[in-house]
Amino acid sequence: MRSAVIVSTARTPIGKAVRGAFNATKAPTLGALSLREAVIRAGIDPAEVDDVVYGSALQQGAAANNIGRLVALRAGLPYTVAAQSMDRQCSSGVMAIATAAKQIVVDRMNVVVGGGQESISLIETPDFRIDFDSELIALHDDIYMPMIQTAETVANRYGISRDAQDEYGVLGIFRPKTTKCSGGPAVCGLQRGITFFEIPIWALFE
């Protein structure tokens, strides 16, 4: 059985939507800032990358047309490196990293980059282009329910209090202190003498 390991990570700071430092940064450039650095930290030739798996929940506007491919090219990876985009809403980036690991274990690739991003400032604009399928709504009337409303529905249905949610959220912050953790794009590779970085939780917020 092959094993996949995360050999490097990189991320950009989280900015405020519309008025933050990255509010005018196009999606391919935004993603490339961290993807390029993750590859540099891994100490590999960019041409060694077999695939880029990139997650984004809002793949439209500047993030349309295979954002994974756009980010890879903007980061300076050669055009011979394949790339794909993944949308699993809020877990798109995590799913992309998990898929990158599966490509190494199952598909026998050697180096895969996985990560994700969102560019709220340039996509959630007044001309936010979303149209609804009335025939789909007739089958599932809540199919277009926003994620925040979905969370409220689940909390009410199962009696999950705000205090319980806050306690669980705090656990998510402190658990990485006792394990190996990463944030942002990750370069996964075969375990072949490459260091697996142990990242303290506070480093994720620097």
Side-chain angles (χ1 to χ4, degrees):
M1 170 70 79
R2 287 161 61 94
S3 296
V5 297
I6 295 176
V7 297
S8 75
T9 64
R11 65 176 296 167
T12 60
I14 297 175
K16 295 181 178 179
V18 183
R19 59 188 187 279
F22 297 113
N23 68 337
T25 305
K26 298 290 187 181
T29 297
L30 179 66
L33 293 172
S34 48
L35 192 152
R36 182 189 301 114
E37 184 63 24
V39 171
I40 291 173
R41 293 178 184 182
I44 60 172
D45 181 344
E48 287 187 72
V49 177
D50 295 308
D51 198 7
V52 173
V53 188
Y54 227 68
S56 178
L58 301 173
Q59 296 185 31
Q60 58 196 67
N65 302 317
N66 193 356
I67 184 62
R69 176 72 168 167
L70 302 182
V71 169
L73 293 175
R74 183 67 181 85
L77 271 60
Y79 68 87
T80 52
V81 175
Q84 60 177 294
S85 303
M86 183 167 291
D87 176 1
R88 204 163 200 175
Q89 293 299 289
C90 284
S91 61
S92 297
V94 173
M95 193 67 204
I97 294 173
T99 299
K102 283 188 279 189
Q103 285 183 302
I104 288 170
V105 174
V106 179
D107 297 331
R108 307 193 70 78
M109 294 183 181
N110 290 325
V111 181
V112 182
V113 178
Q117 69 176 74
E118 296 298 337
S119 178
I120 302 300
S121 302
L122 296 181
I123 295 177
E124 288 194 5
T125 59
D127 60 346
F128 199 32
R129 293 179 298 279
I130 292 183
D131 198 4
F132 302 115
D133 185 331
S134 59
E135 295 185 11
L136 174 59
I137 294 174
L139 295 172
H140 302 279
D141 60 3
D142 56 359
I143 189 64
Y144 293 109
M145 181 186 292
M147 287 179 284
I148 190 167
Q149 190 176 342
T150 302
E152 292 288 348
T153 299
V154 171
N156 291 332
R157 181 176 298 168
Y158 296 101
I160 304 172
S161 68
R162 176 58 189 267
D163 287 342
Q165 294 175 58
D166 288 343
E167 289 176 11
Y168 188 79
V170 170
L171 282 176
I173 294 175
F174 289 102
R175 277 177 176 162
K177 282 189 173 182
T178 59
T179 187
K180 296 178 175 66
C181 60
S182 64
V187 176
C188 299
L190 284 173
Q191 195 161 11
R192 52 181 180 183
I194 304 175
T195 302
F196 190 116
F197 294 97
E198 292 192 30
I199 306 173
I201 185 64
W202 53 87
L204 302 182
F205 300 96
E206 290 180 348

